[in-house]
């Protein structure tokens, strides 16, 4: 039985610590298997091993076969662990691969997230560039809920005029 299969069996038997250990060993042997990452990172978070989750999220970020959901999970894990530069990389990777032709509310949110993370990391030029891009995105008023327009009014008065 492969290490990954052993980890799945351990997980099914609710031996979560053992399952995590098996997933980590499986990762060492084959980093190209996306399913290992999809199991390992959430399990590490579930067990409260946030540093382990962030470590594997950073390593997974180097993979080429990441889908949108995996990139979101990786970005969120890195952001929660104050790995701002790596989280920015994950959001940019998602923008480049998944949202290239889509300039909607989600595209705007990702640029705002990048701006916030760059600001937290002390990269004021990067933050300004991300917010600058976000300000030029034409978001149809229908994609902004009344609650979002109202909540953003103090910070971004132009959004309240989109009604």
């Amino acid at each position: 039985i492969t290490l990954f299969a052993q980890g799945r069996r351990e997980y099914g038997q609710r031996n979560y610590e053992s399952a995590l250990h098996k997933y980590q060993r499986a990762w060492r042997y084959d980093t190209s298997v996306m399913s290992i990452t999809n199991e390992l990172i959430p399990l590490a978070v579930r067990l409260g091993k946030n540093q382990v989750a962030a470590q594997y999220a950073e390593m997974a970020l180097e993979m080429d076969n990441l889908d949108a959901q995996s990139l979101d999970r990786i970005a969120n894990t890195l952001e929660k662990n104050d790995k701002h530069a790596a989280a920015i990389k994950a959001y940019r990777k998602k923008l480049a691969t998944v949202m290239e032709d889509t300039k909607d509310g989600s595209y705007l949110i990702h640029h705002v997230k990048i701006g916030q993370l760059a600001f937290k990391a002390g990269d004021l030029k990067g933050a300004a560039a991300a917010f600058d891009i976000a300000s030029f995105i034409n978001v149809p008023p229908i994609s902004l809920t009344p609650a979002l327009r109202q909540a953003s009014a103090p910070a971004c008065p132009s959004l309240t005029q989109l009604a």
Side-chain angles (χ1 to χ4, degrees), residues 3-4 7 18 29 33 43 50-51 67 80 85 92-93 114 144 156 160:
L3 289 168
F4 180 69
S18 178
Y29 287 106
V33 180
L43 180 56
N50 296 321
Q51 290 181 344
D67 61 14
K80 288 177 184 174
R92 284 191 176 142
K93 193 169 187 176
I114 290 169
L144 295 174
C156 193
T160 59

Side-chain angles (χ1 to χ4, degrees), residues 10-160:
E10 293 292 326
Y11 186 90
Q13 294 173 350
R14 298 181 186 204
N15 297 326
Y16 301 124
E17 289 283 344
S18 178
L20 179 63
H21 180 70
K22 300 285 187 200
Y23 292 152
Q24 287 175 300
R25 287 185 58 209
W27 174 269
R28 284 185 219 125
Y29 287 106
D30 190 358
T31 59
S32 67
V33 180
M34 194 63 224
S35 54
I36 296 172
T37 306
N38 288 337
E39 300 290 333
L40 193 156
I41 295 170
L43 180 56
V45 170
R46 179 180 181 176
L47 293 172
K49 297 181 181 245
N50 296 321
Q51 290 181 344
V52 171
Q55 174 189 0
Y56 281 92
E58 280 189 284
M59 290 188 289
L61 190 54
E62 302 306 317
M63 298 171 68
D64 292 328
N65 59 343
L66 296 169
D67 61 14
Q69 185 178 8
S70 296
L71 285 165
D72 275 337
R73 183 182 310 112
I74 288 167
N76 287 328
T77 300
L78 294 167
E79 184 177 354
K80 288 177 184 174
N81 286 279
D82 296 326
K83 305 273 187 179
H84 304 303
I88 290 169
K89 184 176 179 180
Y91 283 122
R92 284 191 176 142
K93 193 169 187 176
K94 181 177 179 185
L95 285 170
T97 59
V98 179
M99 307 177 120
E100 194 169 278
D101 299 324
T102 308
K103 305 278 196 287
D104 61 2
S106 180
Y107 189 84
L108 170 72
I109 289 168
H110 281 78
H111 276 287
V112 170
K113 278 274 201 195
I114 290 169
Q116 291 171 335
L117 289 167
F119 182 79
K120 287 179 182 178
D123 178 10
L124 301 182
K125 286 184 182 181
F131 289 132
D132 192 43
I133 291 169
S135 70
F136 285 105
I137 297 171
N138 284 329
V139 179
I142 195 149
S143 67
L144 295 174
T145 64
L148 178 58
R149 281 195 297 271
Q150 184 176 5
S152 63
C156 193
S158 62
L159 287 179
T160 59

